[in-house]
Amino acid sequence: MNQIKPAKTPRLRNHILPKGKVLATTLDRKFGVSLADFDRAIGGDVAAAQKIGELARQGRLSQELAPKLAQAYIEIINGSEAYNKATADILLQAGKSAIAIDKAGSQVMLGQQKFVHQRQELAQEFVLGKNTENTRHKYQVNYTQIKGYIDAHLVGVDQQVAILEQSNRPEIKQVAADEQYQQKTMNEALNKGENARYDLIPEKNYRGIKGKFQEFMGALGF
């Protein structure tokens, strides 16, 4: 009795591959996927289909995130440049200002010595220079009043700036917190894809104190 041999599984004929073997090799080398994977997936190979699907998923993520990530890298580089340039400017200015302060201190010491000498000279010339002394005294009184007015103004400006700096602290903290939250969200998306749990990322809110701060300032009379 003759046994019937099972027929081979029929396959679609590939008329293109023999004419593009170099390109097929390039496809495998450059992109990590081959026409053999394509054929296996067409034939129902789950592993091949999963490989192609994963590379496609990564490709979609790259199309969406790569430009944003590239921009983030550019901002990091530009920020680093600006930060280091600002540091250099600060240090250079510190040197210049230190010299200016030392010079001003020397001038004050000389001015103070001159003041002492002038007082001694005025004491000796009092009898003969009463009119001159009266003129000097009037000038000194006016100078003191002007200086007191300017000092009061400067103190008021410094106080306003100090209060403004304190009122801005929550917003400055909020900017940093928002940036950290965005970074954690992006990391969660990149690491877990569709399994990302954004609800587990805590979000800080420093702005909640703003209303209470205004009430507190009002109670203090500001």
Side-chain angles (χ1 to χ4, degrees):
M1 183 176 179
N2 294 330
Q3 293 182 348
I4 300 175
K5 296 182 180 180
K8 293 184 179 179
T9 302
R11 299 178 62 85
L12 296 175
R13 293 185 179 181
N14 191 332
H15 301 284
I16 300 302
L17 181 59
K19 300 177 182 180
K21 291 183 178 181
V22 173
L23 293 178
T25 301
T26 300
L27 172 66
D28 190 7
R29 276 203 321 264
K30 295 290 186 182
F31 303 103
V33 64
S34 66
L35 288 179
D37 295 324
F38 176 78
D39 289 338
R40 284 194 291 271
I42 289 291
D45 189 323
V46 175
Q50 182 174 332
K51 174 184 176 182
I52 295 171
E54 175 59 21
L55 290 174
R57 184 187 68 81
Q58 294 178 19
R60 289 191 298 272
L61 283 175
S62 295
Q63 292 180 63
E64 179 181 355
L65 297 179
K68 297 178 182 178
L69 292 172
Q71 182 61 34
Y73 272 82
I74 292 172
E75 291 173 355
I76 291 170
I77 294 169
N78 291 338
S80 180
E81 175 186 350
Y83 171 80
N84 286 279
K85 184 178 182 300
T87 301
D89 292 341
I90 290 170
L91 293 177
L92 291 173
Q93 186 60 46
K96 294 178 181 178
S97 297
I99 295 298
I101 291 171
D102 292 343
K103 182 178 179 181
S106 298
Q107 291 175 342
V108 168
M109 292 176 65
L110 291 174
Q112 178 174 269
Q113 190 64 38
K114 184 178 180 180
F115 174 77
V116 171
H117 291 164
Q118 287 178 340
R119 290 294 299 270
Q120 293 173 352
E121 294 167 1
L122 286 173
Q124 295 173 2
E125 297 173 0
F126 176 77
V127 176
L128 299 176
K130 185 176 181 179
N131 291 336
T132 302
E133 173 60 16
N134 288 338
T135 301
R136 188 202 65 80
H137 175 68
K138 182 178 179 180
Y139 166 80
Q140 190 64 34
V141 170
N142 292 338
Y143 171 81
T144 302
Q145 291 177 345
I146 292 173
K147 183 177 182 299
Y149 176 80
I150 296 299
D151 287 345
H153 173 71
L154 295 179
V155 170
V157 170
D158 289 342
Q159 290 175 344
Q160 291 177 358
V161 170
I163 292 173
L164 184 59
E165 288 176 346
Q166 291 302 314
S167 65
N168 287 340
R169 285 178 60 198
E171 187 62 28
I172 294 173
K173 288 281 290 183
Q174 188 64 52
V175 171
D178 290 345
E179 186 174 6
Q180 290 178 354
Y181 178 78
Q182 291 175 356
Q183 291 174 350
K184 291 180 180 179
T185 301
M186 179 60 70
N187 288 333
E188 181 74 6
L190 291 174
N191 292 332
K192 297 183 180 178
E194 294 182 354
N195 293 329
R197 289 292 305 275
Y198 305 112
D199 57 313
L200 299 180
I201 302 175
E203 187 173 4
K204 298 178 180 179
N205 181 13
Y206 293 102
R207 295 191 178 99
I209 196 176
K210 188 172 183 180
K212 294 181 180 179
F213 178 79
Q214 295 295 334
E215 294 177 2
F216 180 70
M217 290 293 292
L220 294 178
F222 289 99

